[in-house]
Amino acid sequence: METLYIEAASIECNEDRREISGKIVPIGTGEVGNTNLGAYTFQAGSIEIGDVSKIKLLSQHDMKKPIGRMTAAETRADGIYATFKLSRSTGGSDALLMAQEGLVSGLSIGAEIISSKPSRDGHTVVSAAKLKEVSLVTEPAFKSAQVLEIAAEEILPVEETKTESETVVEDTTVEATPVEAAAVEAARPTVTAMAYTKPRLDFSAPKQLEMTIRASLGSDEAREYVRAAADTTDNAGLIPTRQLTTVINGLANNTRSAIDAISTGVLPDAGMSFEIPKITTLPTVAETAEAGTPSNTDQASSFVTVSVKKYAGQQQFSVELFDRSSPLFITELMNNMAAQYAKATDLAVYTALAAGASADATTLTTYPTAAELLGFVSRGAASVYTNTQGFARNILANTSQWANLMTLNDSGRPIYMAAQPSNAGGAVRPDSIRGNVAGLDLYVSANVPTDNNTDKDDSMLIINPTAYTWYESPTYQLRADVIASGEILVAMYGYGAIATKIGAGAFGINKT
């Protein structure tokens, strides 16, 4: 399961409501946008929104920073337009303030890709996707998308004491500014960030423990106490240990390179298997003599049976942990389960690709030289085209072969690493698992073994993406009470099927 993040363009401020509205993504226009997964474009009608009230507006795609909620959405000829009501929280007010000041300049959607295919121009065309969230972001990507309106709720006047210098500045501004400009400035909505004043409190250890517990239960007064207690400049000896909301996780991510390297489709709505018709014998056409009998061979077909597999994981824990721990625990749990789901499905696809691939008849060194790599690519392209009548477009490599690609050079000049050398044969970067090698799109997977001593090695595959299709259902979450033990069960599961339409659509390296 991949979440695609696509960024839109600039923001401008307007009106006097606490709302943000505008074009969140172009669809049906052919416009290509840069995403976390590469270049993508959306077909008309390809994005499913569902219940608009459940679509949150986030800050920078951070699930722990919601700032509003969608109130309306409309699909037009050139894209999807939506309106969001911003929260009165500190985050919501800060978002409005930064939008007015031009510090955030775009919108970005987070979408779950259900069906897509590569285009001849090198980008991916999405035909089915589900909108998960929308975020305010800093950098734009889609040039045609823009926020049409950002409106802050008017703040009632508050009595305040102005200094003499403040009054002079105000009088001078009004005097020097034309009437039209002054009227616009007066109508501009005011946004104020929330703040608190540190009260005089009892900072004893028992009191601090009590208020920390009350804060976790939702007490605003207790939260104010905890914030004030964090400032120890005038409370000698009280230095509480703070816990950040950022969680370190170097064990998993949601990358599915093997699935990205082939075509994808939507899983049929029923059954644990399905069939795909396949032509097994073609009719013949041959030179025929005058008045002679034409060539006569009947076309024949069969069916490829595809098995549907279930991928699932669960965790069971006490109700106390669920109720009394930070929401960060549940968020991180679901993120990690989604990452493990991605790893399991990607490994299943990689295994199927390797199992059906043709083996290179030429034995190469463990990590091919530049000349050996070009030979492998040329033989693989020819093999794939011969066996599938389709072109090899992608090359899938594990991390060891990726590292080798970055070392290949011509008299010391990197072949795939340099930006624009005269001898460039593609582009391979240490900070990206996507690239290009000898005309093939590169995909790097960390979900396969780094070494394999079989005759047909699985460390690098040349692939015709149309020869394989990954069919997948949406992923589901289940939370249930375990009455007997008073615990809570959280599960994530989904269904997928890898269809090997033409087994020789992949070509595997044969190394010593």
Side-chain angles (χ1 to χ4, degrees):
M1 179 181 65
E2 292 280 8
T3 299
L4 180 72
Y5 299 115
I6 301 182
E7 297 182 356
S10 59
I11 288 177
E12 59 183 55
C13 300
N14 196 358
E15 299 297 330
D16 61 351
R17 300 176 308 278
R18 196 179 181 86
E19 291 182 343
I20 285 182
S21 59
K23 183 177 180 181
I24 61 174
V25 62
I27 58 173
T29 63
E31 182 177 359
V32 178
N34 295 320
T35 78
N36 61 314
L37 302 180
Y40 274 71
T41 185
F42 285 85
Q43 294 181 353
S46 60
I47 299 181
E48 175 190 350
I49 296 180
D51 187 352
V52 297
S53 66
K54 295 183 179 179
I55 302 298
K56 295 180 181 179
L57 181 67
L58 307 178
S59 175
Q60 306 291 346
H61 293 295
D62 191 338
M63 294 298 295
K64 298 183 286 296
K65 294 182 180 179
I67 57 176
R69 189 181 299 277
M70 184 182 289
T71 59
E74 177 186 1
T75 301
R76 302 179 189 174
D78 63 336
I80 298 177
Y81 292 74
T83 299
F84 302 88
K85 186 72 173 179
L86 269 75
S87 165
R88 291 184 176 85
S89 64
T90 302
S93 297
D94 288 348
L96 283 173
L97 197 60
M98 287 190 292
Q100 282 188 304
E101 296 177 352
L103 299 178
V104 288
S105 58
L107 290 171
S108 171
I109 68 167
E112 178 183 342
I113 303 303
I114 298 174
S115 179
S116 64
K117 61 181 179 181
S119 72
R120 294 182 179 273
D121 298 329
H123 62 270
T124 300
V125 180
V126 177
S127 57
K130 184 175 182 180
L131 183 65
K132 303 296 288 295
E133 50 90 357
V134 180
S135 291
L136 276 175
V137 296
T138 305
E139 297 294 332
F142 271 116
K143 302 303 181 185
S144 69
Q146 59 181 336
V147 171
L148 302 180
E149 180 180 7
I150 294 183
E153 183 180 43
E154 293 231 2
I155 306 299
L156 295 177
V158 179
E159 293 185 5
E160 57 182 17
T161 302
K162 296 183 179 179
T163 65
E164 183 178 351
S165 60
E166 288 174 333
T167 304
V168 172
V169 171
E170 183 179 353
D171 291 343
T172 302
T173 303
V174 173
E175 206 170 84
T177 307
V179 174
E180 291 79 2
V184 172
E185 183 65 24
R188 182 175 179 178
T190 302
V191 180
T192 59
M194 295 179 63
Y196 69 92
T197 301
K198 186 183 71 174
R200 297 183 181 276
L201 300 173
D202 173 13
F203 288 106
S204 63
K207 185 66 175 180
Q208 186 184 8
L209 176 60
E210 174 193 350
M211 299 305 283
T212 301
I213 295 174
R214 290 184 181 277
S216 67
L217 295 177
S219 170
D220 291 336
E221 180 182 357
R223 289 194 184 103
E224 186 176 355
Y225 174 97
V226 173
R227 286 196 296 266
D231 181 3
T232 62
T233 56
D234 58 353
N235 296 285
L238 177 62
I239 307 178
T241 300
R242 309 299 294 167
Q243 291 185 344
L244 302 182
T245 57
T246 302
V247 177
I248 300 172
N249 184 358
L251 300 177
N253 59 43
N254 289 307
T255 302
R256 299 199 300 181
S257 298
I259 292 177
D260 292 341
I262 64 173
S263 61
T264 58
V266 179
L267 195 69
D269 60 353
M272 294 305 292
S273 66
F274 58 93
E275 295 181 333
I276 304 175
K278 179 179 180 179
I279 301 298
T280 55
T281 303
L282 292 172
T284 56
V285 174
E287 180 180 339
T288 305
E290 183 178 353
T293 301
S295 177
N296 182 17
T297 301
D298 292 338
Q299 175 178 288
S301 63
S302 62
F303 291 90
V304 175
T305 300
V306 184
S307 298
V308 178
K309 303 296 183 181
K310 179 181 178 182
Y311 300 89
Q314 69 178 34
Q315 181 164 338
Q316 189 169 319
F317 48 85
S318 69
V319 68
E320 292 85 359
L321 180 60
F322 182 82
D323 288 341
R324 303 303 297 271
S325 66
S326 166
L328 182 66
F329 168 77
I330 298 299
T331 300
E332 192 65 21
L333 171 62
M334 301 313 297
N335 288 342
N336 285 331
M337 292 182 74
Q340 292 301 94
Y341 177 90
K343 180 177 181 179
T345 52
D346 195 55
L347 180 57
V349 170
Y350 203 114
T351 301
L353 294 176
S358 300
D360 188 359
T362 301
T363 301
L364 307 180
T365 54
T366 301
Y367 300 114
T369 64
E372 288 177 328
L373 176 66
L374 292 178
F376 170 65
V377 171
S378 63
R379 291 189 297 273
S383 172
V384 167
Y385 184 76
T386 299
N387 290 298
T388 68
Q389 296 297 299
F391 292 109
R393 299 189 181 277
N394 301 327
I395 183 167
L396 182 61
N398 67 7
T399 54
S400 294
Q401 293 292 2
W402 178 35
N404 179 60
L405 290 172
M406 287 186 278
T407 68
L408 300 181
N409 66 88
D410 177 18
S411 301
R413 295 176 297 177
I415 297 176
Y416 301 110
M417 284 285 290
Q420 291 180 336
S422 59
N423 63 325
V428 179
R429 295 167 53 90
D431 59 349
S432 174
I433 57 173
R434 292 291 308 275
N436 184 277
V437 173
L440 299 178
D441 287 336
L442 172 68
Y443 295 82
V444 178
S445 176
N447 296 328
V448 295
T450 57
D451 191 18
N452 190 330
N453 292 321
T454 59
D455 292 339
K456 180 187 66 183
D457 184 77
D458 301 337
S459 62
M460 191 152 52
L461 302 171
I462 293 174
I463 303 168
N464 172 4
T466 62
Y468 305 88
T469 300
W470 168 251
Y471 297 92
E472 188 172 30
S473 73
T475 54
Y476 304 94
Q477 296 181 13
L478 174 65
R479 301 187 186 187
D481 294 333
V482 182
I483 304 300
S485 60
E487 294 181 303
I488 294 177
L489 178 68
V490 176
M492 176 176 287
Y493 68 98
Y495 299 92
I498 173 64
T500 302
K501 298 175 179 178
I502 307 175
F507 186 80
I509 191 171
N510 184 357
K511 70 179 187 181
T512 57

